[in-house]
Amino acid sequence: MNVMELFSLKNKVALVTGGAGNYGRSITEGLGEAGATVVIASRNLETIEKTAAGFRTKGLDVHGMQADQADTASVLTLEENIQKQFGRLDIFVNNAVSRPMKGYAAPIEQFDESMKVNATGMMFILREMTDLIIRSGGGSVINISSMMGMYAPIYSNYEGIRGMGDIAPDYCFHNAGLIMLSRFMAKTHAGKNIRFNTVSPGGLFNNQPEKFVENYCKKVPLERMANNDDIKGLIVLLASDAGAYINGENILIDGGLNA
Ligand SMILES: NC(=O)c1ccc[n+]([C@@H]2O[C@H](COP(=O)([O-])OP(=O)(O)OC[C@H]3O[C@@H](n4cnc5c(N)ncnc54)[C@H](O)[C@@H]3O)[C@@H](O)[C@H]2O)c1
């Protein structure tokens, strides 16, 4: 098949959780530009619909739906609505994240709150959307983890910056778990025409304090933080037939920071 056809997502339906967020918007844009119909979901219906409408003005077929990952009933409603409105799901980008824990010594209840969304809730939505993809004939699941699910924090990046550097441990814990869970899913669903891969990004530039950006970029061989385009190609590769033989993999995308 022609290579550009291999990358095409025409006639595919994708779900991106947290699609109004920082990486979520880039992921949605990439999938939409490759031809997919994209459903973006998060808790605030107004925000998600406004984001979706913004994408539609650029000619992308993006739809907003409400879902709270911590609430099983809400996830089941999302699944039903996708089924009802589009009749299928081919691609799930498991991207939403909640960051309720505010540092190493924060009240342990904040760790628990994080797990409700990022571990238990995440497992539930992953299982449900996997079932929907299998019922649709197969497809691709892309789990978004982080370089912080693979490597310990680089504390020197935060030197000299007030209010940064007290890294919350829940984030490293659930992102590391997701990398393994993704491999588990790949083997558990063998023979069902579904692939599971993880993308572990580095820091996205988002107007962080200048000193932090300087500290960070000094360590990156490409001398910059990630930009909004960096994740798009990899997501489309993993979502499309161009990545048809990539399964159970975790791909670090950090500009060489952890090389
Ligand atoms: N931003 C970065 O620099 C960075 C770096 C490495 C990895 N990542 C990973 O990228 C992914 C997205 O991160 P981001 O920085 O873009 O996050 P973000 O905070 O910008 O967006 C997160 C999204 O998740 C949604 N969300 C939170 N709780 C939810 C819930 N209970 N139900 C449904 N939706 C919920 C939010 O509404 C938001 O849309 C995460 O998996 C994160 O680990 C981000």
Side-chain angles (χ1 to χ4, degrees), residues 1 5-9 12 195 236-237 239-245:
M1 202 189 281
E5 281 173 39
L6 286 172
F7 278 100
S8 170
L9 296 177
K12 302 285 184 195
R195 297 180 289 112
V236 172
L237 167 69
S240 67
D241 286 346
Y245 205 55

Side-chain angles (χ1 to χ4, degrees), residues 154-171:
I154 306 170
Y155 285 105
S156 57
N157 282 341
Y158 308 94
E159 262 163 26
I161 307 152
R162 269 223 326 228
M164 280 181 101
D166 184 7
I167 307 298
D170 63 312
Y171 187 78

Side-chain angles (χ1 to χ4, degrees), residues 17-25 41-44 48 67-70 94-99 117 144-148 171 174-175 178 200-205 208 225:
T17 50
N22 293 317
Y23 264 126
R25 286 193 302 274
S42 65
R43 287 158 302 173
N44 187 313
I48 204 78
D68 181 352
Q69 194 166 294
N94 183 14
N95 167 74
V97 70
S98 173
R99 297 183 175 89
V117 182
I144 308 298
S145 177
S146 168
M147 68 176 183
M148 289 175 81
Y171 187 78
H174 66 73
N175 275 315
L178 181 55
S200 293
L204 179 68
F205 177 70
Q208 290 94 340
M225 296 189 74

Side-chain angles (χ1 to χ4, degrees), residues 9-148:
L9 296 177
K10 230 174 129 201
N11 300 324
K12 302 285 184 195
V13 179
L15 168 66
V16 182
T17 50
N22 293 317
Y23 264 126
R25 286 193 302 274
S26 297
I27 291 167
T28 301
E29 193 169 73
L31 293 169
E33 287 168 351
T37 292
V38 190
V39 176
I40 55 175
S42 65
R43 287 158 302 173
N44 187 313
L45 184 61
E46 201 182 318
T47 309
I48 204 78
E49 280 190 334
K50 211 167 132 194
T51 307
F55 280 120
R56 287 196 297 272
T57 63
K58 295 185 193 168
L60 306 182
D61 189 22
V62 179
H63 308 262
M65 286 189 187
Q66 198 273 340
D68 181 352
Q69 194 166 294
D71 176 354
T72 53
S74 165
V75 169
L76 291 174
T77 303
L78 172 68
E79 188 181 355
E80 255 177 57
N81 288 340
I82 294 171
Q83 174 83 61
K84 228 186 281 166
Q85 200 169 330
F86 302 102
R88 60 184 302 104
L89 184 67
D90 304 285
I91 298 153
F92 172 38
V93 185
N94 183 14
N95 167 74
V97 70
S98 173
R99 297 183 175 89
M101 194 169 192
K102 300 302 175 207
Y104 172 72
I108 203 65
E109 289 75 14
Q110 290 180 7
F111 190 94
D112 196 30
E113 201 186 321
S114 169
M115 293 307 117
K116 283 194 174 81
V117 182
N118 300 313
T120 311
M122 199 279 301
M123 180 64 224
F124 189 72
I125 196 167
L126 177 60
R127 209 166 57 182
E128 288 305 315
M129 296 309 157
T130 293
D131 283 355
L132 181 53
I133 292 175
I134 292 170
R135 294 202 301 274
S136 308
S140 171
V141 174
I142 303 163
N143 293 305
I144 308 298
S145 177
S146 168
M147 68 176 183
M148 289 175 81

